Amino acid sequence: MSGVNEVEHHDAQPVNSAKVRQPLFEARKKIFPKRASGSFRQFKWLVMIVTLGIYYITPWLRWDRGPHAPDQAVLVDLANRRFYFFFIEIWPQEFFLVAGLLVMAGLGLFFVTSVVGRAWCGYTCPQTVWVDLFLVVERFVEGDRNARMKLDAAPWSARKIMLRTVKHAIWLAIAVATGGAWIFYFGDAPTLLVDVIRGQAAPVAYITVAILTATTYIFGGMVREQVCTYMCPWPRIQAAMLDENSLTVTYNDWRGEPRTRHTKRAAAAGIPVGDCVDCNACVVVCPMGIDIRDGQQMECITCALCIDACDGVMDKLGRERGLISYATLADYQHNMAIATGSGAHEIKPELVRDQSGKFTDRLRHFRLGKLFRPRTFIYFAAWSMVGLLLLYGLLTRDRLEVNVLHDRNPQFVVLSDGSIRNGYTVKLLNKIPEPRNVTVTIDGLANGAMNVVGLDQPEAQTISVELEPDRLKTLKIYVRQPREDVPAKTQRFTFTVEDHTSGEADQYTTTFEAPE
């Protein structure tokens, strides 16, 4: 019990208490989370570095697509209606691929939530990542929790003004960099950066930077947990995604209660106590300002910093880690039934331990196998199916397309020699960043021939056309058929476009109109 004296006790109350709900329109109470240390905090550092690195660095990556396409690895080219992602190029008519990725993201979010609760919120949500970054700056400038609380309560002075000015200046710099990084996804990053600095960029670029700067600064620095609590719909949706076997951050009161700060005094009096020494370490590290000991709460983003804080306290006390841990509702209820005699009495610590002081074998602990259950299999199967369909669509999509529009007025013309002529607008789409020579052939029209307006080639069943890289070419084609070969009814025939070098081809079936 000597370790109890080494534990720092914090005089802290949860800002967002599950026991006492504040009025909806009450002014925001500031939260000053203390810096945590431990495996989950280290994992959050890693996630923050990786996600921010991806966001800020990606627009500057290069990818050689040849002389006829941009060399930016990831680019949303709105001017030319293209989306480039390394070796993948997506055209507007292929937007189903992007829609499929959004479906995969949704299913992935459902899958992750059903397995480990709001892990997205706690680790990879942009709001969480940028709030973490802003807190790093705040701690660096103003100090840890106690120093920040003291500074906030102090009257304005030269030192306070200086510290606040430095902090907000760094926040604004991060916010500007965030907005600036976003616009680089929509244009060549080095060129656009020079244009922005010189004031030569399009007005929409500056407007976008201004809006994202404001939202990043306000959401990450000023509002913080309010975004998660009041603006984000996910806390209200997540309940439908969880079941009794989903992992969530849980205070195991079956081993923590009854809690006391006076363990030695209670032991001397023969009063049984749990492992929780009511130090409030879990409260002061929580960025959402809650007390996890109040049970599951809408505000909890399962960042697990309370686990790190509590594990540190348990280490000092020489007790097992896991007083606060990731646990399933099924295991928690089973262990609570042991500690309470299936609800017959209050929690009795002696019921969860044997005579040697170790946990009884009747208790349930997390096993990896519990993650594999029908719900997770269904989500994963649906996610995988969508992914395979997208992969199939990506690998089998046409890179050469033809589209034909028949002239409506007139539908046909009778020439002086009696032959019948129909007009067509033919669109040839070359979806690779290289020029290529293709042939256009008409099939299924007896003795039919065609000529192309503006193309110096004799009338024939097959013509040769040069296509520019990554471009749509529109041709005006007239198809003629001798009068004696024209039947009494409308005919159907096919335009075939083929690249003999790559073997790619496409067809379009249309009609040939003639007088009855």
Side-chain angles (χ1 to χ4, degrees):
M1 298 298 180
S2 60
V4 177
N5 297 327
E6 303 173 6
V7 175
E8 181 182 3
H9 288 79
H10 304 274
D11 185 13
Q13 295 296 326
V15 171
N16 295 311
S17 175
K19 295 181 178 179
V20 182
R21 288 292 177 184
Q22 303 298 329
L24 183 61
F25 297 105
E26 185 181 35
R28 174 179 180 262
K29 295 181 180 179
K30 292 184 179 179
I31 298 174
F32 302 90
K34 179 182 175 64
R35 178 172 180 173
S37 60
S39 56
F40 289 104
R41 178 64 266 184
Q42 291 175 355
F43 181 67
K44 280 175 67 68
W45 289 134
L46 176 62
V47 171
M48 185 177 75
I49 293 171
V50 171
T51 52
L52 290 176
I54 291 174
Y55 178 74
Y56 289 118
I57 295 174
T58 297
W60 302 93
L61 300 178
R62 302 292 101 182
W63 189 269
D64 185 14
R65 299 184 181 90
H68 304 288
D71 64 349
Q72 187 162 311
V74 179
L75 176 64
V76 182
D77 189 356
L78 295 179
N80 295 303
R81 295 183 295 176
R82 304 285 189 280
F83 172 54
Y84 297 96
F85 185 81
F86 293 93
F87 61 90
I88 299 173
E89 177 185 355
I90 296 179
W91 286 61
Q93 59 267 41
E94 297 172 335
F95 196 77
F96 70 90
L97 294 171
V98 178
L101 288 176
L102 294 177
V103 172
M104 286 188 68
L107 290 173
L109 187 57
F110 294 164
F111 170 73
V112 170
T113 303
S114 69
V115 175
V116 288
R118 292 174 63 185
W120 159 262
C121 301
Y123 300 100
T124 55
C125 173
Q127 174 67 12
T128 298
V129 172
W130 263 275
V131 167
D132 267 359
L133 180 60
F134 277 43
L135 280 173
V136 170
V137 174
E138 187 171 85
R139 292 191 186 103
F140 176 76
V141 176
E142 298 181 354
D144 207 356
R145 181 175 186 269
N146 292 339
R148 300 202 309 276
M149 293 177 66
K150 184 177 179 181
L151 180 69
D152 188 70
W156 286 99
S157 63
R159 178 179 179 273
K160 183 172 181 176
I161 293 174
M162 181 193 68
L163 292 177
R164 289 291 168 87
T165 301
V166 171
K167 179 182 74 172
H168 287 276
I170 298 175
W171 281 1
L172 281 173
I174 294 172
V176 171
T178 301
W182 178 256
I183 65 172
F184 294 147
Y185 285 89
F186 297 86
D188 182 65
T191 304
L192 185 54
L193 176 61
V194 174
D195 290 344
V196 169
I197 294 175
R198 292 178 176 176
Q200 299 174 347
V204 68
Y206 297 103
I207 294 173
T208 301
V209 172
I211 292 174
L212 291 179
T213 296
T215 53
T216 304
Y217 174 74
I218 294 172
F219 291 169
M222 312 300 292
V223 184
R224 295 183 179 175
E225 78 287 344
Q226 303 287 87
V227 174
C228 305
T229 303
Y230 299 112
M231 298 175 63
C232 180
W234 191 239
R236 291 141 181 95
I237 298 174
Q238 67 160 342
M241 301 292 104
L242 301 176
D243 60 26
E244 65 277 4
N245 290 310
S246 300
L247 280 175
T248 56
V249 174
T250 305
Y251 168 62
N252 296 306
D253 46 3
W254 50 266
R255 63 166 281 195
E257 300 296 323
R259 71 183 79 156
T260 180
R261 293 190 176 189
H262 309 290
T263 305
K264 287 185 177 180
R265 190 182 307 170
I271 301 173
V273 295
D275 287 347
C276 180
V277 294
D278 203 20
C279 63
N280 287 327
C282 55
V283 177
V284 296
V285 300
C286 180
M288 298 300 295
I290 67 171
D291 188 342
I292 191 63
R293 295 171 297 180
D294 292 341
Q296 290 298 312
Q297 297 156 68
M298 179 185 68
E299 293 86 356
C300 180
I301 59 173
T302 66
C303 63
L305 295 182
C306 54
I307 297 179
D308 282 340
C310 189
D311 283 348
V313 173
M314 292 297 104
D315 289 343
K316 291 180 180 179
L317 296 176
R319 301 175 186 173
E320 301 91 337
R321 290 187 167 197
L323 176 56
I324 302 175
S325 65
Y326 272 103
T328 67
L329 179 61
D331 288 347
Y332 170 82
Q333 291 177 334
H334 174 83
N335 295 341
M336 278 294 290
I338 294 175
T340 62
S342 298
H345 48 71
E346 297 294 328
I347 296 173
K348 294 183 177 181
E350 63 270 17
L351 295 180
V352 298
R353 295 182 184 273
D354 56 26
Q355 294 181 350
S356 64
K358 295 182 180 181
F359 288 124
T360 176
D361 293 336
R362 294 187 299 159
L363 294 173
R364 288 182 182 175
H365 303 283
F366 169 71
R367 300 193 312 275
L368 188 62
K370 292 184 178 181
L371 301 181
F372 303 100
R373 57 190 192 278
R375 172 177 288 196
T376 57
F377 280 126
I378 291 172
Y379 282 141
F380 184 74
W383 181 85
S384 301
M385 183 62 66
V386 174
L388 290 174
L389 289 175
L390 289 180
L391 182 61
Y392 175 79
L394 183 66
L395 295 177
T396 60
R397 60 180 177 162
D398 294 326
R399 309 301 289 159
L400 178 65
E401 294 184 5
V402 58
N403 188 276
V404 180
L405 180 64
H406 192 292
D407 287 355
R408 297 182 64 183
N409 188 20
Q411 288 190 324
F412 61 87
V413 173
V414 181
L415 301 179
S416 57
D417 62 356
S419 59
I420 308 301
R421 187 183 74 182
N422 282 206
Y424 302 88
T425 299
V426 178
K427 296 182 178 181
L428 304 177
L429 184 58
N430 178 18
K431 296 167 69 175
I432 63 173
E434 299 175 6
R436 54 179 169 184
N437 183 276
V438 300
T439 58
V440 180
T441 306
I442 54 174
D443 299 305
L445 196 64
N447 293 319
M450 62 179 167
N451 66 78
V452 182
V453 176
L455 195 63
D456 188 18
Q457 290 188 31
E459 188 179 69
Q461 282 190 327
T462 300
I463 59 172
S464 179
V465 181
E466 291 286 342
L467 299 183
E468 296 181 11
D470 216 22
R471 287 291 183 271
L472 174 70
K473 189 178 186 67
T474 302
L475 304 174
K476 184 63 179 180
I477 296 180
Y478 290 107
V479 178
R480 185 183 63 82
Q481 187 178 32
R483 186 69 182 89
E484 60 273 13
D485 294 316
V486 178
K489 61 181 181 179
T490 299
Q491 302 176 79
R492 297 185 65 82
F493 72 101
T494 301
F495 279 95
T496 300
V497 58
E498 185 174 6
D499 181 353
H500 294 281
T501 301
S502 65
E504 293 180 273
D506 194 27
Q507 294 182 333
Y508 194 98
T509 301
T510 185
T511 60
F512 186 86
E513 304 291 343
E516 296 182 1

